[in-house]
Amino acid sequence: MTRVLLIRRDNIGDLILTTPLIEALAAQPGWRVDVLVNSYNEAILDGNPDVARVYRYKKLHHRDTGESAWQVIAERIRTVLAIRRARYDIAVVAKEAWDKRPLQWATLARAKRIVALCDHGRPGHPRITDLVTAPEFGSEHLVERLHRLLAPLGIVVPPGPLRLFADEAQVAGMRARYGLDGAVPVYALQLSARKLKQRWPVERFAELATRIAAAGPCKLVLLWSPGAADDPRHPGDDDKAAQLVAACPGLPLVPVRTTSLAELKAAMQLCDQVITADGGAMHVAAGLGKPVVALFGNSNAAAWAPWGVPHEILQTEARDVNTLGAETVFAAHRRLLERSPGD
């Protein structure tokens, strides 16, 4: 058996965009793929049949209430020991370009081979046995870039779709709780965004909701990152969501406060289209095969576009979603509805 450790301890979207690489590795006869993630993105791999074991790395600022730094460090030590005992043949640094932290984990694994990426012209590291050079980041989609890591391993396959799985029981529970029985189309409005220039104003979400509801029978599922805006660990948009609900009286708006990634996956599974800013939620939607209207601010659409699903990308020369009008987003929503799934 060839034992592979894939290291992806970054954000939610980064891990989702790595799932085609994981699938390609796991498809090799006699290969076993284990993955090191962080506690923040761990639920992305729930139900993924390509992953044999998940190791969890917790960052100190993500520790739970009442959990000490020493407890987090002790868990980290246990993870290191478990990885060393596994005796990996290959460690894959699944990042757009290697850096010291994932490389440290690959080194701790004592893998016989370490595969990693770097920009053309950038030096590697003595511990990297298989350095893959690639064009400057942003010139190709991240999924395509990560697939370059397969070349030293003799694997030649095109990247497939994203792999994300919603829990069927949670989906059924949300369907019943919120009355999302499919009798009318269900469109998600996801209003949270980490970057300032990707935060669309509440009043434009309200105008968009009004336009969509006027176009025909539907339900609008409102999604957002839960919590207070001043939460130092995970800033949330509870106040923004409440403002939007108050601004949409009489509209078929269904606020769904998801408190976990599992709940977010279940809620999006019930939707026919998702309208959202670029970010982790956008990639969750694409991972579930949902058509996406993507509002891009100052991020690179070529590298981060929804992968493998019908989509409309909206990005102005100002590279700020605040310059997008509701009528523009509504038009993209309608265009996407008219396209066939294969377009």
Side-chain angles (χ1 to χ4, degrees):
M1 175 184 291
T2 299
R3 300 179 66 91
V4 180
L5 175 67
L6 184 139
I7 301 160
R8 194 38 148 163
R9 45 177 298 284
D10 303 285
N11 294 321
I12 290 169
D14 298 307
L15 181 56
I16 296 172
L17 294 175
T18 309
T19 56
L21 174 63
I22 295 171
E23 181 185 23
L25 291 166
Q28 302 309 301
W31 286 39
R32 170 193 167 109
V33 180
D34 298 340
V35 183
L36 173 70
V37 299
N38 63 54
S39 57
Y40 183 64
N41 65 15
E42 180 182 13
I44 291 303
L45 297 180
D46 287 351
N48 191 317
D50 304 320
V51 180
R53 178 173 181 176
V54 176
Y55 298 101
R56 185 178 74 161
Y57 166 94
K58 183 177 288 187
K59 299 179 181 181
L60 287 175
H61 66 280
H62 285 163
R63 64 183 183 271
D64 299 326
T65 303
E67 187 177 29
S68 70
W70 287 111
Q71 288 175 301
V72 173
I73 292 169
E75 180 186 357
R76 198 174 299 175
I77 292 171
R78 289 192 293 270
T79 300
V80 170
L81 294 175
I83 287 173
R84 290 174 76 91
R85 286 194 297 267
R87 299 183 180 276
Y88 288 99
D89 300 290
I90 303 166
V92 178
V93 178
K95 194 174 177 70
E96 53 271 19
W98 72 269
D99 63 40
K100 64 179 183 179
R101 289 179 179 172
L103 184 56
Q104 285 173 346
W105 281 98
T107 302
L108 287 169
R110 297 188 289 189
K112 299 170 186 175
R113 298 174 67 180
I114 297 178
V115 187
L117 276 164
C118 72
D119 289 331
H120 183 73
R122 181 187 171 191
H125 190 282
R127 293 173 185 160
I128 300 174
T129 61
D130 299 87
L131 184 67
V132 180
T133 58
E136 182 180 359
F137 179 65
S139 61
E140 61 187 348
H141 199 282
L142 180 58
V143 169
E144 297 169 317
R145 186 178 183 89
L146 291 173
H147 239 59
R148 292 176 179 272
L149 290 163
L150 297 173
L153 305 175
I155 303 171
V156 182
V157 293
L162 306 180
R163 303 268 284 169
L164 197 61
F165 302 88
D167 181 82
E168 292 183 4
Q170 282 191 306
V171 173
M174 283 198 169
R175 180 182 290 112
R177 180 179 178 184
Y178 295 104
L180 304 173
D181 55 9
V184 294
V186 179
Y187 308 126
L189 305 178
Q190 198 288 129
L191 57 77
S192 293
R194 182 170 53 89
K195 296 180 180 180
L196 181 62
K197 291 189 176 182
Q198 297 191 171
R199 298 175 190 166
W200 211 39
V202 167
E203 58 270 18
R204 286 190 214 155
F205 269 111
E207 182 182 345
L208 176 64
T210 301
R211 287 174 177 264
I212 294 175
C218 66
K219 287 194 176 180
L220 301 172
V221 168
L222 176 60
L223 300 171
W224 69 96
S225 296
D230 59 356
D231 186 327
R233 294 198 317 151
H234 302 292
D237 284 309
D238 283 351
D239 289 345
K240 189 174 180 179
Q243 292 169 21
L244 182 55
V245 171
C248 297
L251 295 185
L253 189 68
V254 183
V256 179
R257 190 179 190 273
T258 58
T259 59
S260 66
L261 269 175
E263 289 184 348
L264 177 61
K265 289 190 291 183
M268 281 194 175
Q269 185 65 58
L270 292 167
C271 298
D272 299 297
Q273 185 189 102
V274 177
I275 302 171
T276 177
D278 168 43
M282 180 189 76
H283 298 299
V284 170
L288 294 169
K290 304 301 176 180
V292 177
V293 176
L295 283 59
F296 271 76
N298 56 349
S299 55
N300 187 322
W304 298 103
W307 178 262
V309 295
H311 62 269
E312 289 275 338
I313 292 176
L314 301 176
Q315 187 172 39
T316 66
E317 291 185 4
R319 299 177 71 82
D320 187 334
V321 297
N322 289 280
T323 58
L324 284 170
E327 70 282 358
T328 300
V329 181
F330 176 73
H333 156 72
R334 297 303 300 179
R335 286 195 303 270
L336 193 54
L337 289 180
E338 294 167 2
R339 289 164 56 184
S340 64
D343 289 347

